[in-house]
Amino acid sequence: MNVTNQLQKIILTGVLCLAAPLTGLTQQNVKQADPAALKSDNWLTEKYRNDNLPGPTIGARAGYYASSKHSFIVEEWAQLPLFSSGNFLAYYGYNSFTPFESERGGVNQVGRNDQTQELNGEYRLNDQIAIQGTFGWERVDYVDATGHRENFRAGLGAGTPYVKRFTDKLTWSVMAGPTFVTHNTYSDWFVDAFVSYELIDFNYIASTKNLASRPKLNIEGRMESYNDGVDRFAPYLEFGPTFSMITVNGNKLDLFAHYVGNHGNEFKMLNDDGALIGFSVEAMREYPYGTLPTDWQSGDILPKVWGYYEMGWGKDGDYVTNFKINAQLYQFHLGVPLTLYTWFQPRRYWSGQSQGINNALYNVAVGLMTPITLDGGWAVVGNHMPLQLGAEFFHRSDHTMNPSQTQVAQNNKGGDNFDRYAWEGSMNQFPRVFLSTAGWDSPYVYTGIYESKLAWVNTLDWRTSVGVNVSSPSHKHFGSAEIGAHWNIATIYGYVPYLRGQYGYGAVSPEYSLEGGWQRPEYKVFFRYENQDLDRSISGGRDNVWYGGFSLNL
């Protein structure tokens, strides 16, 4: 037995110690998955599910920002087509921009949370040009500091049609219009612009088996400006080269080195100039019905990108957003089939109480996963699909958003950072080893449960993990453990009611959660009760929160 297989056995033993009391599994029931069989029948998802309504877009990017006032920038976005008729398309858009500021004393601190939600429409004049319009809302909250700004905006412009943004050599958009119902901002109109032009097609680089086209070098530019009449023009600017590749599943990987500068845009960040070096992942494709997270093919680059965006409303007018993006980065064989992956999940909570505390937590993980299969009658434990066995580094940071001046005055970092709220949280696990079904975190696994009018579904997805806490709060124990279950109950004219629960011990996120609702492949409607195990100084004492809402599967 080689070292890799020995390591796999050791990892599996740790997980089974937690799972065995619940499932009865032993190592004798588990075997390494056959690499030749690790593709579901429709693992390739480039075909349209519905030619009239294109699929959603989900993306995220992160980069090191070499500048005098900032250190990193993280951004996530989603777009969901809602209605299409002839040349007209309406779609919902979401974007969040998070800069990290370099505090006095050399500490890197989340600086702001800038969030935009829009209803967009376009009318295609031809394959290259569409008339476009938008109506939206933008709000920025200072993180661990007092302050927020917001406004509504409406705009009209033109650009590349939605369905052509990944494929055309030249993609562009220009949008401008008034702002109104503003709070704490001077602007009365805005203008946004974007352009990307293909400079080089690397035709001497042979396409790998999962690239839809040869890699390309693009030059890109972006501007977002909030302005006051003709006297004050305040742009956020970005431009530079981007190395881009698109896989056959419609996933896009960019490596970029851009100039980024802010010159008065109050929503984005502090005024600054510097170089942003990083990467982004994005998916613009149809709903991948029946694809499995355990699909594997050696050498595949960015084989799967998927996620969701949730909005919920609770007691006293509480408002919650929850975004998650999963990205499988690279698949290779090292004794066993391995997938390098990452995921990112920010959760924002705005309290409806006058003395409540708004807060944000950011979950991120990176790790390796291998599929395993179960023998004989034990296959039912994984719903007759491969299980996911993985090990990852997990990090969560907790922050307040726009705490009151009184709260900051009573609890601040002192010295040169007197304007910063003193309390923030951090959780870390390494390694965190998990075992789960293929359907635990993917809405696209089951193809048939939405087709019947009335039928008993009765599928149970689950996840269990154990981890070692590192650099976590002192009240957290040395180890962490989690368990969760998701029960798809039945199908009622294509709608599937479900129940879902999670419980954790140690540095976990969430500590516990109970949820019920009904789901479709594209969305779900839910009611949730949860505890995120936030420190009281960040949660304001509202640790147990309930809310109802909907989730868009992307």
Side-chain angles (χ1 to χ4, degrees), residues 479-498:
S480 292
E482 298 168 281
I483 190 167
H486 180 111
W487 181 30
N488 294 317
I489 303 170
T491 180
I492 305 172
Y493 290 88
Y495 293 87
V496 176
Y498 72 93

Side-chain angles (χ1 to χ4, degrees), residues 228-240:
D228 183 11
V230 297
D231 299 321
R232 185 181 179 99
F233 189 72
Y236 167 86
L237 299 170
E238 179 176 346
F239 64 84

Side-chain angles (χ1 to χ4, degrees), residues 73-305:
I73 293 177
V74 177
E75 192 170 2
E76 78 257 12
W77 60 91
Q79 294 173 323
L80 181 72
L82 302 172
F83 173 77
S84 178
S85 178
N87 289 346
F88 177 77
L89 174 68
Y91 59 95
Y92 164 81
Y94 158 84
N95 181 274
S96 181
F97 182 93
T98 305
F100 287 67
E101 297 176 5
S102 300
E103 281 191 347
R104 308 169 188 93
V107 178
N108 296 316
Q109 161 74 39
V110 179
R112 302 186 185 189
N113 175 64
D114 176 26
Q115 189 171 111
T116 304
Q117 301 193 50
E118 297 176 321
L119 179 63
N120 302 296
E122 68 173 34
Y123 184 84
R124 295 188 307 278
L125 300 179
N126 53 47
D127 286 344
Q128 285 74 44
I129 301 177
I131 302 299
Q132 299 170 335
T134 186
F135 176 81
W137 166 80
E138 184 167 4
R139 171 174 174 140
V140 60
D141 288 281
Y142 291 13
V143 175
D144 297 329
T146 303
H148 94 275
R149 311 175 194 274
E150 62 182 313
N151 65 27
F152 286 84
R153 60 189 216 165
L156 186 65
T160 303
Y162 178 88
V163 295
K164 304 286 285 184
R165 294 178 189 174
F166 270 23
T167 57
D168 280 11
K169 186 171 184 176
L170 171 66
T171 59
W172 61 280
S173 66
V174 177
M175 187 79 67
T179 62
F180 47 93
V181 195
T182 62
H183 174 80
N184 198 28
T185 178
Y186 61 80
S187 66
D188 54 20
W189 68 285
F190 78 97
V191 58
D192 292 346
F194 173 80
V195 63
S196 176
Y197 181 74
E198 178 188 315
L199 291 176
I200 302 173
D201 179 344
F202 292 97
N203 55 14
Y204 51 87
I205 298 180
S207 294
T208 68
K209 53 192 162 188
N210 85 315
L211 290 188
S213 60
R214 290 183 292 267
K216 297 174 174 60
L217 181 66
N218 303 326
I219 187 73
E220 297 183 342
R222 170 185 177 188
M223 179 184 72
E224 298 180 21
S225 183
Y226 278 106
N227 316 300
D228 183 11
V230 297
D231 299 321
R232 185 181 179 99
F233 189 72
Y236 167 86
L237 299 170
E238 179 176 346
F239 64 84
T242 297
F243 180 78
S244 180
M245 60 184 74
I246 300 175
T247 73
V248 292
N249 277 349
N251 303 323
K252 185 167 176 276
L253 174 65
D254 287 348
L255 307 174
F256 56 82
H258 292 176
Y259 160 81
V260 168
N262 192 50
H263 302 275
N265 187 322
E266 298 176 299
F267 285 84
K268 281 290 177 272
M269 58 184 185
L270 299 172
N271 288 344
D272 206 357
D273 293 277
L276 179 64
I277 302 170
F279 74 99
S280 71
V281 295
E282 187 173 15
M284 182 178 177
R285 40 90 176 113
E286 300 311 309
Y287 301 115
Y289 292 121
T291 62
L292 304 181
T294 51
D295 288 341
W296 183 89
Q297 181 167 271
S298 184
D300 274 7
I301 301 170
L302 205 66
K304 283 187 174 59
V305 178

